[in-house]
Amino acid sequence: MGFRPYIYKLAREIGLSGSVSNTSEGVRVEIQGSSQQHKTFDARLIPEAPPLSKIISTTSEDLPPTEDGVFTIIASYDDISVSTLISPDVKVCKDCYHELFDPKNRRFHYPFINCTNCGPRYTIIENIPYDRPYTSMKHFPLCLECKAEYEDPENRRFHAQPNACQICGPQVWLCDGGGTTIETENPIQGAIDFLAQGHILAIKGLGGFHLAVDAKNKNSIARLRKSKGRDEKPFALMVRNMIVARRLVHLTQNEAASLDSVQAPIVLAKKQVDLDLAPNLAPGNDRLGIMLPYTPLHHLLFSGSLDILVMTSANFSEEPICIDNAEALVRLSGMADHFLLHNRDIYLRSDDSVVIEMDGKLRPIRRSRGFAPAPIFLKEKGPSVLAVGAELKNIIAISSEDKVFLSQHIGDLENLEAFDFFQMTIEHLQCIFKIKPELIMHDLHPGYLSTKWATEQALPVHGVQHHHAHLASCMLENGLNKPVIGIIMDGTGFGSDGTIWGGEFLIGDLSGFQREAYFDPMPLPGGEAAIKAPWRIGLSYLHQTFGSKLPDIPSLRHRDTGSIIQMIEQSINSPLTSSCGRLFDAVAALSGGRQEIRYEAQAAIEFMQLANNDLGSDYSIFEVIEKNGQSIISISNIIVQLVSRINSGKSVTALSQWFHHSLIKTFVALAIILHKKSNINEIVLSGGVFQNHLLFEGLVQALISENFQVFTHHQVPTNDGGIALGQVAIGQEILNYPHG
Ligand code: ZN
Ligand code: ZN
Ligand code: FE
């Protein structure tokens, strides 16, 4: 990130001669001067480095003196380590921001202003080397002024590949819903006016299209929900600046820093009370997803009267975000009233990233734009492995030497568009990082499209149990290599025994694992269909506990329970699961919470929020039954205790507090049992259920107070977006120690 110009300026300032170049090992600097000049260079090199650069390590050696000359930049791309050259996309920098609003600047109000410190990167790179002809800027030959900046090592735009201006660069224009261009002097002002009038706009951004509406307009939001097929899931907001953000949400120091960071993710922060926002924006949710403008185009949209916009990925339901103009006009027709388009192509789509602060640390929920393809660093160099992840929230990973490159968020591989995008991303990452993997890792689930793809390739493949991958992911992120206790809680993962796992205590390391404890497997009547109707799961768990003498539960009174019970009794499409996510669904539904859901994990999320961030004082330690050397957490015991509380008239808030508190106490009790058995003191937490901050924070604190060392995710998501990293770790272990 502007590193060679930085060295160039520094060396010249100090009066050193020599050169700077990119090599396969990284940046190489040769300097010649007095020992005092050398010392000055050494002292300033790291402290003054550009804000976006990240120096992993430095080494130096003495060289014989050469003839003195001026300091130069060697601009050769031969033998360049490509990984040093591909940066994530970066939010518009302060310098560019000031130029954008400076009427005397030649780029005043130019929506594509950028420099070496900011702008698009990963999303516009078609091939390597990272040079303008290999990006989607190839259609825009530099004008003389831009070219002069591009070639001047003293300039902020030296070798800034996306450099452009009003004269030579990309342009925006406005279209109606049918794709007809609307003639206007100022398309961005036109877009602002439409938004203010309550229209839905499709806006082409950095990594894809957004659908935008005024966040104060209830009717527009209702229309957007209808056309997007999104009934209740909260919408993300983009707000004018930090002042507006603080008006909407309470921000901790970490959250504020993240909001304002170069990655500019969506931050899930606590709503302020008494907000005058549309009620259908984030119903039943005490948090709002907020981001700040990250491209010059966004800043211009907020230069009028608007200060809060809904900015949601432009797609139908879980399909990939739209990136191409022609494609957008077709796929989004009927969703958007108007289109704000531009002609800088997006080569690789990248959704907005999402982070949340839990237990004092920021954690990615979706690691995508601004983060991908920045690598996770390994402690040692390892073989190259491609990992294709799981099915939902798919992210793929590929390793090279001491780095694991993670792709942007690919999405749910259930639909064909996402599967195409998945294949394209695999090819693209191998190409831009020049990696030839030796092994492909996939999930054990035979039905996943990622598994099918992997097994069709000409390379050796290996299946990884889903929860083992979760455990390995958290181990790798935290640099662990000795056996750990893994508390892995999620919705669904194919188990080694063919049942569906999801509430597991494992002891293991990268080479293997034992399943030590789990929730008593329960039938899921209707399989996937049950996940959308938590009341069915509640009924099933109730039936398993009480048999035909079902207790009277208010939430089930008006349900036709007969057909579901028949399914369970005759084992028709009722797979068994130990899932913690399903247990949450069952308990939430029986307690009087959400009976049917409109988006993933809605029942659990709303049930958690009903606890009002409090664990209360009432808890149970659930019964654990020893069976064949394994500990089974009794679901019947949980349901019996729940029903007695429901019958004694406890509120849903009290029930939620009791359940969260009891899970924490039970998990700690099990951890102590496993510690006695194994003498292991290190615990990793992974799985999507740990996005539940009440459970997560309570459990971390409770384990620490029992003197456990607790390791959690902070670089990759705890949900299935982190699976590929764990698969890579296990794959490297297999290649390093082929005979176990
Ligand atoms: Zn800039
Ligand atoms: Zn120009
Ligand atoms: Fe999972």
Side-chain angles (χ1 to χ4, degrees):
M1 299 302 307
F3 202 76
R4 287 174 308 156
Y6 158 67
I7 297 285
Y8 172 90
K9 272 194 240 172
L10 182 65
R12 287 209 163 193
E13 218 180 286
I14 301 170
L16 290 158
S17 65
S19 65
V20 55
S21 55
N22 278 320
T23 76
S24 56
E25 271 105 18
V27 177
R28 179 183 172 89
V29 186
E30 286 185 24
I31 51 173
Q32 182 161 309
S34 70
S35 69
Q36 188 52 46
Q37 285 171 314
H38 273 87
K39 271 189 200 141
T40 310
F41 184 83
D42 280 354
R44 292 175 60 182
L45 176 64
I46 292 177
E48 294 178 24
L52 293 181
S53 63
K54 197 169 162 188
I55 300 170
I56 309 299
S57 65
T58 60
T59 54
S60 63
E61 57 177 343
D62 287 332
L63 294 171
T66 61
E67 222 172 286
D68 257 338
V70 289
F71 194 90
T72 54
I73 294 181
I74 301 175
S76 141
Y77 282 113
D78 302 340
D79 190 30
I80 288 171
S81 164
V82 290
S83 67
T84 59
L85 289 179
I86 292 163
S87 146
D89 305 286
V90 183
K91 176 181 87 171
V92 60
C93 74
K94 287 216 161 60
D95 291 334
C96 287
Y97 175 83
H98 288 304
E99 290 178 0
L100 179 65
F101 290 105
D102 174 5
K104 292 193 290 288
N105 192 279
R106 71 186 189 93
R107 291 189 180 85
F108 177 62
H109 280 188
Y110 180 57
F112 302 96
I113 185 170
N114 68 84
C115 73
T116 41
N117 297 321
C118 73
R121 296 288 186 275
Y122 181 58
T123 50
I124 60 163
I125 296 172
E126 289 176 27
N127 208 334
I128 48 156
Y130 172 49
D131 212 349
R132 195 166 174 111
Y134 297 102
T135 70
S136 55
M137 289 301 293
K138 66 185 170 196
H139 308 296
F140 304 98
L142 291 157
C143 69
L144 287 176
E145 269 182 281
C146 287
K147 190 159 186 273
E149 294 167 339
Y150 182 89
E151 286 169 352
D152 175 8
E154 304 259 12
N155 195 287
R156 203 170 90 241
R157 299 194 165 92
F158 175 69
H159 282 198
Q161 304 305 345
N163 189 27
C165 73
Q166 198 73 259
I167 315 250
C168 66
Q171 303 293 332
V172 290
W173 69 94
L174 203 54
C175 276
D176 67 16
T180 310
T181 305
I182 300 169
E183 293 302 334
T184 163
E185 278 278 288
N186 187 340
I188 293 175
Q189 187 55 50
I192 295 172
D193 294 342
F194 281 133
L195 285 165
Q197 289 159 25
H199 295 220
I200 300 175
L201 252 80
I203 298 172
K204 187 174 180 181
L206 184 63
F209 276 80
H210 282 119
L211 288 169
V213 296
D214 180 358
K216 290 174 186 158
N217 193 322
K218 193 174 82 186
N219 296 335
S220 310
I221 295 172
R223 237 164 26 93
L224 179 62
R225 286 206 176 278
K226 205 166 167 210
S227 60
K228 212 174 122 80
R230 180 157 164 163
D231 299 341
E232 292 176 13
K233 194 173 177 182
F235 279 131
L237 301 177
M238 186 179 275
V239 302
R240 182 200 293 266
N241 55 28
M242 205 53 124
I243 298 165
V244 180
R246 288 193 192 278
R247 225 165 64 211
L248 300 186
V249 290
H250 175 265
L251 290 173
T252 65
Q253 226 172 10
N254 274 339
E255 287 167 340
S258 172
L259 201 56
D260 203 24
S261 66
V262 293
Q263 291 89 6
I266 295 170
V267 177
L268 299 179
K270 284 203 191 82
K271 261 185 204 170
Q272 300 280 21
V273 280
D274 299 330
L275 277 182
D276 118 64
L277 285 176
N280 51 353
L281 201 57
N285 213 303
D286 65 359
R287 288 187 184 239
L288 282 177
I290 298 253
M291 63 183 148
L292 291 178
Y294 55 85
T295 68
L297 179 64
H298 295 149
H299 281 293
L300 293 172
L301 284 173
F302 285 103
S303 63
S305 61
L306 297 165
D307 53 18
I308 313 168
L309 287 175
V310 168
M311 276 283 206
T312 183
S313 303
N315 53 1
F316 185 77
S317 201
E318 298 298 323
E319 288 172 8
I321 184 170
C322 219
I323 56 171
D324 179 72
N325 288 346
E327 174 204 5
L329 287 171
V330 175
R331 271 177 63 195
L332 306 178
S333 80
M335 284 194 219
D337 302 321
H338 300 283
F339 290 79
L340 186 62
L341 302 175
H342 65 69
N343 56 351
R344 186 180 71 198
D345 292 340
I346 299 166
Y347 186 70
L348 219 56
R349 57 169 59 79
S350 195
D351 289 82
D352 294 320
S353 293
V354 182
V355 303
I356 188 168
E357 187 181 38
M358 292 198 297
D359 195 42
K361 243 186 204 174
L362 289 164
R363 329 255 171 186
I365 296 220
R366 188 202 286 152
R367 186 186 185 275
S368 201
R369 180 201 34 88
F371 294 93
I376 307 289
F377 286 92
L378 301 171
K379 275 183 163 172
E380 284 162 29
K381 288 186 181 184
S384 289
V385 174
L386 167 66
V388 296
E391 173 108 320
L392 301 181
K393 303 187 179 59
N394 186 280
I395 278 180
I396 63 134
I398 187 161
S399 64
S400 171
E401 302 192 327
D402 60 347
K403 303 176 198 76
V404 184
F405 298 100
L406 295 170
S407 73
Q408 70 280 39
H409 167 80
I410 293 171
D412 297 352
L413 292 188
E414 287 160 328
N415 64 69
L416 268 183
E417 277 98 352
F419 185 58
D420 286 345
F421 179 35
F422 162 85
Q423 296 182 72
M424 175 188 174
T425 304
I426 291 174
E427 248 171 62
H428 188 67
L429 284 181
Q430 293 185 58
C431 163
I432 61 173
F433 292 121
K434 282 192 175 161
I435 302 173
K436 287 206 172 74
E438 295 171 47
L439 177 66
I440 303 178
M441 305 297 286
H442 61 82
D443 196 276
L444 270 193
H445 200 302
Y448 285 177
L449 284 177
S450 54
T451 302
K452 286 183 184 156
W453 181 88
T455 50
E456 282 162 9
Q457 306 308 304
L459 284 168
V461 292
H462 193 93
V464 184
Q465 202 282 317
H466 186 90
H467 302 93
H468 186 209
H470 270 302
L471 175 140
S473 173
C474 196
M475 280 183 71
L476 183 138
E477 222 197 285
N478 290 288
L480 304 172
N481 48 25
K482 294 207 184 69
V484 295
I485 297 170
I487 307 181
I488 316 295
M489 298 290 147
D490 66 358
T492 301
F494 194 80
S496 315
D497 60 0
T499 68
I500 306 167
W501 295 6
E504 316 301 313
F505 279 69
L506 309 178
I507 288 183
D509 57 16
L510 302 182
S511 65
F513 71 96
Q514 296 279 350
R515 190 188 192 198
E516 296 289 344
Y518 51 95
F519 287 107
D520 195 7
M522 293 280 124
L524 203 52
E528 288 294 307
I531 297 175
K532 300 209 165 73
W535 72 269
R536 284 193 186 196
I537 306 172
L539 175 62
S540 167
Y541 288 26
L542 201 64
H543 179 263
Q544 290 303 106
T545 305
F546 294 98
S548 54
K549 289 202 186 80
L550 285 188
D552 174 42
I553 299 292
S555 65
L556 285 174
R557 266 176 211 158
H558 306 291
R559 292 284 179 190
D560 166 24
T561 53
S563 58
I564 303 294
I565 290 173
Q566 207 176 11
M567 274 177 98
I568 302 167
E569 283 178 340
Q570 297 174 5
S571 309
I572 301 164
N573 188 19
S574 295
L576 292 176
T577 184
S578 60
S579 164
C580 186
R582 297 298 81 79
L583 175 62
F584 261 95
D585 290 341
V587 173
L590 291 174
S591 300
R594 178 65 55 176
Q595 305 296 306
E596 265 149 5
I597 60 167
R598 297 280 179 263
Y599 60 89
E600 194 198 358
Q602 187 181 11
I605 292 168
E606 293 184 3
F607 191 56
M608 172 193 75
Q609 296 193 343
L610 287 166
N612 298 328
N613 278 315
D614 192 347
L615 290 170
S617 52
D618 177 28
Y619 68 85
S620 317
I621 295 181
F622 298 131
E623 191 186 343
V624 171
I625 300 154
E626 295 297 319
K627 207 158 124 190
N628 306 328
Q630 290 175 313
S631 305
I632 319 289
I633 310 168
S634 165
I635 294 283
S636 297
N637 181 252
I638 298 173
I639 299 297
V640 165
Q641 303 209 45
L642 174 66
V643 168
S644 89
R645 280 171 177 76
I646 293 172
N647 288 340
S648 70
K650 294 249 182 196
S651 68
V652 57
T653 291
L655 294 170
S656 174
Q657 293 175 344
W658 163 79
F659 180 64
H660 282 87
H661 203 158
S662 302
L663 274 187
I664 292 168
K665 291 285 183 186
T666 306
F667 287 176
V668 172
L670 268 169
I672 292 171
I673 293 173
L674 295 185
H675 169 75
K676 283 189 181 138
K677 192 170 166 182
S678 64
N679 216 17
I680 295 171
N681 201 40
E682 289 80 20
I683 297 188
V684 299
L685 303 184
S686 189
V689 168
F690 288 121
Q691 291 171 168
N692 176 324
H693 54 84
L694 187 62
L695 175 69
F696 177 82
E697 292 176 342
L699 181 59
V700 170
Q701 292 313 320
L703 288 169
I704 288 172
S705 60
E706 290 293 334
N707 294 320
F708 283 106
Q709 261 190 292
V710 185
F711 298 92
T712 56
H713 289 285
H714 48 95
Q715 299 191 70
V716 300
T718 190
N719 59 44
D720 285 1
I723 285 287
L725 183 69
Q727 292 175 341
V728 163
I730 294 167
Q732 289 194 325
E733 183 79 7
I734 290 170
L735 291 172
N736 284 336
Y737 308 100
H739 306 294

